[in-house]
Amino acid sequence: MDQSRIRNFSIIAHIDHGKSTLADRLLERTGAISERDMRSQLLDEMDLERERGITIKANAVRIDYDADSGETYELNIIDTPGHVDFSYEVSRSLAACEGALLLVDASQGIEAQTLANAYLAVESGLEIIPVINKIDLPAADPDRVAEEIAAVLGGSPDEAIRVSAKSGEGIDELLHAIVDRLPAPDGDPDGELRALVFDSYYDTYRGVVSLIRVVDGSITKGDAIRLMAHRHDLNADEIGVRRPAMEPTGGLEAGEVGYVITGVKDIDLIRVGDTVTWADVPSEDPLSGYAEPKPMVFSGLFPTDGDDFERLREALDKLRLNDSSLVYQAETSRALGFGFRAGFLGLLHMEIVRERLEREYDLDLVATAPSVQYIAHLTDGTDRNVQSPQDLPESGSLASIDEPYVKVMIITPSEYIGTVMELVQAKRGIMGEMTYLSPERVELHYEMPLAEIVFDFFDQLKSRTRGYASLDYEPSDYRPSDLVRVDILLNGQPVDAFSTIVHKDGAYSYGKAMVKKLRELIPRQLFDVPIQAAIGSRIISRETVKAKRKDVTAKCYGGDITRKRKLLERQKEGKKRMKMVGSVEVPQEAFVAALKINDE
Amino acid sequence: MSDRQADKSIARTLPARDPLLADAAHEWKSAYIHIPFCRRRCPYCDFAIVDESAVRSDHARYAEAVLAEIEMEEGIGRLDAVNVGGGTPSLIDPAHLADMLDALERRFAFAPDVERSLEINPEDWTVERADAWVAAGFDRISIGLQSLDDEVLGDLGRMHRASIIAEVVSEARAAGFRSINVDLIFGHPGEPAASWRSTVDRVMDLDVDHVSTYALTVEAGTELGRSVSDGAPAPDDDVQAERYEHFVAAASSRGIVAYEVSNHARDGHACRYNLSTWAHGEYLGFGLAAHDHRWGIRGRNHRRMDRYVEDIDAGRRPRLGTETLDRRDQERDRLMLGLRLAAGTPMTDTAEAFVRSEAGARFVDAGVIRIEGGRLVLSNPLVADAVAREALSVSASDC
């Protein structure tokens, strides 16, 4: 295909602003998929993505568009995740595009993460088409939203295309705009092959499938290819495009987007961000990749049944094939036994990994409360990374602790400024700039400890602003903080998995709230269970779960022993999600109780 | 072992909690006949019954079906105990009950000291009926007393008044019943502590040999279940525990001791049918939704009257299903059931494995179970299910 008739673009959107519906509609309008085969959210393949209405993995779909001019254009939609946790996936996707659709809900206006991603697209030199969706809804105010977009991104409010992805209104105008306004790729079709690997995933039947964007030259089935960073030669066994089903094409030319299968099983051989070139006539000059994602949040993952440790290891190994941002190492907890300390991009990523492990690998897991990575400066002059509260050195050998800070952007309706400021201050936030996007909406900037965000910040922000505020953050630096570790004792025994590092000023109220929450969560046992919070050897709070006095059914259902036995077995099954800590049965949700102590 | 088996009549004299009695009960054979008719369904009841406030039933036809079912049964040997329960057995003509006992005896024979027990509702009591029941052969009567507080009786949907009970009990004795039981239900959310204490005191003044105490249980699909899920107060476990403990203390001081979680008796009056069930003995079951257990098979009859009668008419056993137990299943059932007996359960391989398991050791440490005289004994009957739950899962994998 002549590059002048190729358009590669992403859709940048907030959750629920209609990205998947818009993609579905574009596929449908261009005949890529018949109405009969239409199922919604075509791009979101994972069950979890469909259920949660979010995109986790990047994806790429080619559609052919017959323009009014009589020319057929090749459009490649490169899907991007919308959540802050996956912003590195966004930068991957953007690197394969020349343009982006900035999709904004006509009643909601632009949200912080969307704006952050839009800035990212602008910085990457992409042409942006603002698209205002859901114009058919009664609460739609497209004029206001168009003004808002123009205010933050520049340009004229008239540039925004107004659509209803649901009804299809405006889709033709949007297709025109994509062809007219987005630039065509301009690589060298006759040069040496340079193609960017912007995603790789593992397919059980076919091995590693890599999504690539050819920048220069072309790639043909059977080519010997080289991964430039990895210096590894492979054979291009199959080349094709997704429509969205995989369709072999025999090759890809400059400007095109598609997939390549090389038969390798080891995803680490085809790293995302690497450049593919020919093995016999290699290019000298790799494309610029992007920074490796860094884990921000750490949590312990333990099988409820200790015998499942090996299965957990295998499951993590397999998950990593499709998620190179997941890192983990074996960890031992006195309370929970053998497990793993895993690093995640953020809370949503953590939740998703855990859910996939449980669902796709049939594991029953205990996840501990998330922690960030601290730097402990020891009295002997050395430093230590602390990813888990129990790794915090004893106060005697500890000189000081640094904690990670992030730059936070919050967009909120202006009526909530007061309550947002109050919340951020309570979370040790330092106020930065404040910009009015419009008289009704304001963009606030803060610097905050990441640990405060990792807890329940987002939920609280949402509830205080009736769901209207949105949040984005990026790492900034490490700063010294006055931190202590609060330990929790069950039955007089410290439970390492419950320990948390908190700021000294909040330690007492945290300990009190945590103990109270645990008393609610831990079911009554056959004996009293005291729960205590302690800093060092000082007990700061105590509650008791009173012993259960009765656990017996009255009678035997007229000789129906089978029913009695089945009832007991069912109840036992229900208890499986409990973890024995010493002699105390602790439900899984207790290990993340720290996240819920502010629930009303 | 052999002398115990040889002399089954020891039940007449042994203390209710005696391990010898529990082990003898394991060898007993018994039979249950279900009489499913009730004037109306009680709000907490999920048994298979026919609510006669909605449907008129043909008792004679049902009695014929039960007799036919008895004829189809191959039997398990001489019967040591027979229990006719319900439903409301006192609702049907005593002649039908007499026919049923006769049929059982003709078909399977009775041990010389066989226990023949009948459940009745107080509102059905007349001296004439009592004489007819005794003449039919019943030597034990179980009276659905439930409470001696009319308000609580009303809450429980029971139809009798508390004031008639003293007379019923003394007339029962006069009619010639060897052993008299009353059933009590405790822990209804509307039952004040004082009401229960008063019921217990007055029951102790009755001339009864046996008391069954049932904590009110909320079953799904019942009127009570629906009202609780609609927000009505549910019975409170702590309150029920207090009620139970109060009863046990009061009764034992009067010589009525708990030999099973819900059953309390004077020495020589432990219910043989009951004991046999909890000691994992064999029993036959006749009638709607009746259960049986013999030769390592548990069977259940149809719960629907039309199906039950249809099968009988076609000359088939009215089976809904069976469950075959292998040796390990048998052992774990025996352990699960035997833990409810005050005498405990023999230290079988399964019991041994349980005690050695992590969960079992925890219970031993916490004093919830103990090994005593070569038996595994539960120290606190109120947590029997907590122990049985663990015992079942241990024995399933470790034996």
Side-chain angles (χ1 to χ4, degrees):
Chain A
M1 173 71 71
D2 184 328
Q3 286 192 84
S4 66
R5 282 184 283 127
I6 299 174
R7 299 293 182 271
N8 298 317
F9 61 94
S10 292
I11 306 174
I12 295 170
H14 191 70
I15 292 169
D16 289 338
H17 282 201
K19 182 182 62 171
S20 298
T21 314
L22 179 67
D24 290 352
R25 202 60 58 230
L26 290 172
L27 262 61
E28 194 185 78
R29 184 60 57 93
T30 55
I33 192 104
S34 71
E35 219 164 314
R36 194 169 52 84
D37 296 333
M38 195 73 202
R39 49 176 192 162
S40 56
Q41 289 179 259
L42 276 165
L43 294 184
D44 291 338
E45 288 182 285
M46 236 185 277
D47 283 348
L48 261 177
E49 292 184 321
R50 285 166 182 279
E51 276 170 36
R52 291 180 174 238
I54 55 172
T55 303
I56 300 165
K57 296 291 291 178
N59 202 342
V61 174
R62 174 189 293 190
I63 54 183
D64 295 325
Y65 169 55
D66 298 320
D68 299 340
S69 61
E71 306 243 46
T72 298
Y73 285 83
E74 174 186 316
L75 310 184
N76 290 299
I77 308 177
I78 292 147
D79 197 17
T80 56
H83 192 274
V84 56
D85 281 6
F86 304 104
S87 56
Y88 87 103
E89 297 255 10
V90 175
S91 60
R92 273 149 85 152
S93 309
L94 296 181
C97 301
E98 282 77 37
L101 309 184
L102 173 64
L103 183 68
V104 181
D105 183 304
S107 52
Q108 308 281 320
I110 197 162
E111 308 281 358
Q113 286 155 29
T114 321
L115 187 54
N117 287 341
Y119 286 148
L120 205 58
V122 172
E123 282 163 24
S124 317
L126 269 59
E127 182 68 33
I128 293 190
I129 302 176
V131 181
I132 300 174
N133 191 20
K134 306 194 191 183
I135 53 169
D136 52 334
L137 290 187
D141 189 354
D143 294 340
R144 176 183 67 82
V145 172
E147 296 273 357
E148 205 175 278
I149 295 171
V152 290
L153 292 182
S156 148
D158 301 333
E159 288 171 13
I161 311 282
R162 300 173 181 209
V163 304
S164 163
K166 201 163 147 227
S167 73
E169 188 183 348
I171 296 298
D172 288 332
E173 289 83 339
L174 176 58
L175 283 164
H176 291 156
I178 288 168
V179 167
D180 294 345
R181 282 158 60 176
L182 296 185
D186 61 353
D188 176 4
D190 304 316
E192 286 103 22
L193 170 66
R194 292 199 306 165
L196 178 70
V197 179
F198 65 90
D199 200 12
S200 274
Y201 61 90
Y202 183 81
D203 180 296
T204 324
Y205 300 106
R206 327 202 55 182
V208 176
V209 180
S210 301
L211 300 180
I212 57 169
R213 155 70 196 273
V214 180
V215 175
D216 298 320
S218 63
I219 180 169
T220 310
K221 180 178 172 169
D223 281 355
I225 54 170
R226 171 169 300 168
L227 275 307
M228 292 181 74
H230 211 276
R231 312 209 130 276
H232 196 89
D233 289 356
L234 297 164
N235 197 58
D237 292 346
E238 182 181 321
I239 292 168
V241 298
R242 306 185 47 140
R243 287 183 175 275
M246 280 163 92
E247 185 183 297
T249 55
L252 292 170
E253 293 170 9
E256 293 191 310
V257 171
Y259 69 86
V260 57
I261 296 175
T262 55
V264 299
K265 303 276 182 214
D266 181 358
I267 203 158
D268 283 335
L269 292 179
I270 312 182
R271 294 300 284 271
V272 169
D274 207 343
T275 301
V276 178
T277 188
W278 290 316
D280 43 2
V281 198
S283 162
E284 295 297 314
D285 193 13
L287 300 161
S288 55
Y290 14 72
E292 284 279 306
K294 265 208 243 120
M296 308 265 276
V297 177
F298 299 82
S299 158
L301 290 173
F302 297 85
T304 320
D305 180 347
D307 295 344
D308 284 340
F309 174 75
E310 276 307 320
R311 287 216 301 129
L312 174 58
R313 180 198 294 281
E314 282 163 26
L316 281 166
D317 288 348
K318 278 190 192 148
L319 263 195
R320 207 187 119 72
L321 291 177
N322 281 330
D323 185 353
S324 54
S325 59
L326 174 65
V327 296
Y328 48 90
Q329 59 186 53
E331 181 185 57
T332 312
S333 153
R334 248 180 318 160
L336 299 174
F338 294 105
F340 293 90
R341 191 80 191 163
F344 306 94
L345 301 168
L347 284 184
L348 179 68
H349 186 218
M350 179 176 102
E351 234 177 275
I352 284 166
V353 167
R354 181 185 161 176
E355 212 168 316
R356 290 188 66 189
L357 286 170
E358 296 205 312
R359 241 197 246 202
E360 295 169 27
Y361 299 92
D362 192 29
L363 285 159
D364 209 11
L365 298 178
V366 172
T368 61
S371 168
V372 300
Q373 176 167 299
Y374 298 93
I375 298 172
H377 301 290
L378 305 186
T379 45
D380 65 6
T382 61
D383 291 347
R384 189 191 291 178
N385 285 337
V386 177
Q387 294 175 354
S388 170
Q390 56 259 43
D391 295 343
L392 191 69
E394 292 305 316
S395 53
S397 56
L398 192 61
S400 65
I401 313 173
D402 290 351
E403 70 173 324
Y405 268 66
V406 288
K407 288 183 189 153
V408 176
M409 169 167 68
I410 296 168
I411 296 180
T412 177
S414 36
E415 56 184 300
Y416 299 117
I417 292 177
T419 178
V420 170
M421 284 184 170
E422 200 179 64
L423 172 65
V424 177
Q425 262 154 30
K427 301 289 183 186
R428 301 189 279 142
I430 303 155
M431 175 94 192
E433 270 176 64
M434 178 164 115
T435 317
Y436 276 86
L437 301 177
S438 67
E440 295 84 30
R441 301 228 306 158
V442 65
E443 186 185 321
L444 299 162
H445 290 265
Y446 286 94
E447 290 175 317
M448 260 177 81
L450 174 62
E452 299 287 355
I453 292 195
V454 159
F455 271 50
D456 56 350
F457 182 77
F458 188 57
D459 289 343
Q460 286 202 50
L461 179 69
K462 281 283 175 191
S463 75
R464 281 170 179 245
T465 60
R466 296 176 49 215
Y468 283 115
S470 59
L471 168 76
D472 190 76
Y473 60 85
E474 56 177 329
S476 63
D477 54 357
Y478 272 79
R479 299 180 191 180
S481 277
D482 202 355
L483 301 168
V484 292
R485 187 177 74 205
V486 176
D487 295 322
I488 301 290
L489 293 80
L490 279 190
N491 237 355
Q493 295 300 314
V495 179
D496 51 9
F498 281 137
S499 295
T500 312
I501 295 172
V502 294
H503 192 262
K504 203 173 172 189
D505 294 346
Y508 178 76
S509 60
Y510 167 81
K512 221 171 140 65
M514 179 72 178
V515 160
K516 190 160 162 266
K517 192 75 195 172
L518 285 174
R519 195 201 58 199
E520 288 164 24
L521 290 174
I522 294 177
R524 295 169 67 180
Q525 324 261 320
L526 294 182
F527 41 85
D528 283 359
V529 179
I531 307 170
Q532 294 159 300
I535 299 172
S537 57
R538 190 163 55 92
I539 303 291
I540 56 173
S541 179
R542 180 192 161 109
E543 301 261 359
T544 302
V545 178
K546 299 298 283 177
K548 174 160 59 182
R549 294 188 57 189
K550 172 175 170 282
D551 184 354
V552 64
T553 37
K555 53 170 149 187
C556 206
Y557 310 107
D560 190 353
I561 307 301
T562 308
R563 175 174 168 188
K564 163 105 185 148
R565 186 196 320 115
K566 284 187 176 156
L567 180 70
L568 290 172
E569 281 170 347
R570 250 197 332 273
Q571 289 167 340
K572 169 75 184 168
E573 200 54 38
K575 280 178 170 268
K576 271 211 173 147
R577 288 183 71 87
M578 302 275 198
K579 184 86 191 173
M580 291 303 307
V581 176
S583 54
V584 183
E585 283 177 337
V586 180
Q588 284 159 319
E589 62 264 32
F591 294 96
V592 287
L595 296 179
K596 297 178 182 132
I597 56 178
N598 285 306
D599 288 1
E600 250 71 50
Chain B
M1 207 60 174
S2 58
D3 55 329
R4 283 181 206 164
Q5 281 168 26
D7 184 10
K8 284 175 175 172
S9 66
I10 50 179
R12 285 270 191 258
T13 52
L14 280 178
R17 306 163 63 102
D18 195 308
L20 283 179
L21 185 59
D23 282 349
H26 180 59
E27 310 292 335
W28 289 336
K29 319 286 183 196
S30 53
Y32 173 75
I33 296 177
H34 189 63
I35 308 296
F37 311 106
C38 286
R39 285 200 173 75
R40 65 173 190 226
R41 184 181 283 279
C42 297
Y44 52 86
C45 171
D46 72 340
F47 280 21
I49 63 137
V50 178
D51 182 345
E52 298 210 321
S53 69
V55 193
R56 287 301 304 165
S57 332
D58 186 342
H59 297 170
R61 176 144 164 67
Y62 180 75
E64 270 167 38
V66 170
L67 294 176
E69 192 189 358
I70 291 171
E71 294 308 316
M72 289 178 211
E73 169 62 53
E74 292 149 82
I76 45 177
R78 264 189 347 179
L79 298 176
D80 300 288
V82 175
N83 182 30
V84 179
T88 316
S90 52
L91 200 56
I92 72 170
D93 187 338
H96 294 319
L97 302 175
D99 291 345
M100 290 174 192
L101 276 190
D102 285 348
L104 283 181
E105 183 165 19
R106 264 202 322 278
R107 183 106 183 95
F108 311 115
F110 287 158
D113 58 341
V114 64
E115 170 189 277
R116 285 149 294 176
S117 187
L118 176 70
E119 289 177 13
I120 66 124
N121 276 9
E123 65 269 22
D124 297 326
W125 185 265
T126 64
V127 175
E128 293 70 32
R129 280 212 184 100
D131 291 341
W133 292 329
V134 171
F138 292 101
D139 67 330
R140 182 178 187 273
I141 195 157
S142 175
I143 304 166
L145 167 62
Q146 318 312 358
S147 171
L148 285 172
D149 180 330
D150 283 342
E151 213 159 305
V152 173
L153 287 171
D155 286 345
L156 293 173
R158 306 301 293 196
M159 304 175 88
H160 65 275
R161 297 265 138 196
S163 53
I164 66 169
I165 295 298
E167 204 175 310
V168 170
V169 171
S170 68
E171 286 175 4
R173 188 66 77 193
F177 286 104
R178 169 190 63 84
S179 201
I180 300 175
N181 169 62
V182 291
D183 277 353
L184 295 177
I185 294 179
F186 63 91
H188 189 284
E191 173 199 73
S195 158
W196 177 245
R197 280 197 296 271
S198 150
T199 291
V200 173
D201 288 348
R202 289 159 62 197
V203 165
M204 289 303 124
D205 289 339
L206 297 170
D207 175 24
V208 297
D209 309 296
H210 189 287
V211 184
S212 298
T213 54
Y214 299 117
L216 181 68
T217 308
V218 180
E219 301 288 354
T222 62
E223 196 184 319
L224 180 65
R226 282 188 294 276
S227 72
V228 166
S229 58
D230 287 347
D236 181 281
D237 280 345
D238 288 353
V239 169
Q240 291 193 332
E242 271 163 36
R243 301 278 197 274
Y244 179 83
E245 282 159 6
H246 173 77
F247 176 85
V248 168
S252 57
S253 73
R254 304 286 284 258
I256 296 181
V257 297
Y259 64 94
E260 190 271 337
V261 174
S262 302
N263 289 290
H264 318 260
R266 295 186 201 290
D267 291 350
H269 285 276
C271 172
R272 305 182 90 187
Y273 168 75
N274 246 324
L275 266 178
S276 147
T277 305
W278 299 116
H280 192 52
E282 290 188 308
Y283 49 91
L284 304 174
F286 302 102
L288 194 69
H291 293 77
D292 57 30
H293 169 232
R294 60 337 203 351
W295 321 311
I297 299 169
R298 295 195 182 281
R300 53 180 59 212
N301 279 356
H302 286 300
R303 275 181 76 91
R304 273 177 55 175
M305 187 61 95
D306 54 347
R307 298 248 163 91
Y308 175 77
V309 174
E310 188 185 305
D311 272 6
I312 296 280
D313 287 352
R316 287 191 300 263
R317 289 302 305 271
R319 286 292 198 199
L320 183 59
T322 57
E323 181 195 23
T324 304
L325 310 173
D326 60 23
R327 201 188 68 87
R328 199 183 70 191
D329 296 334
Q330 293 264 21
E331 276 213 5
R332 65 184 193 147
D333 274 9
R334 188 171 185 189
L335 175 58
M336 165 185 85
L337 299 168
L339 279 168
R340 294 177 63 107
L341 290 170
T345 185
M347 280 305 281
T348 57
D349 293 349
T350 307
E352 194 81 54
F354 171 50
V355 172
R356 278 201 312 265
S357 73
E358 200 187 312
R362 261 189 290 122
F363 289 130
V364 172
D365 287 347
V368 176
I369 54 173
R370 60 180 196 274
I371 299 168
E372 195 177 277
R375 306 176 71 82
L376 183 60
V377 182
L378 189 63
S379 303
N380 176 5
L382 282 178
V383 295
D385 283 5
V387 177
R389 235 172 259 133
E390 299 295 336
L392 281 177
S393 59
V394 166
S395 49
S397 54
D398 296 358
C399 282

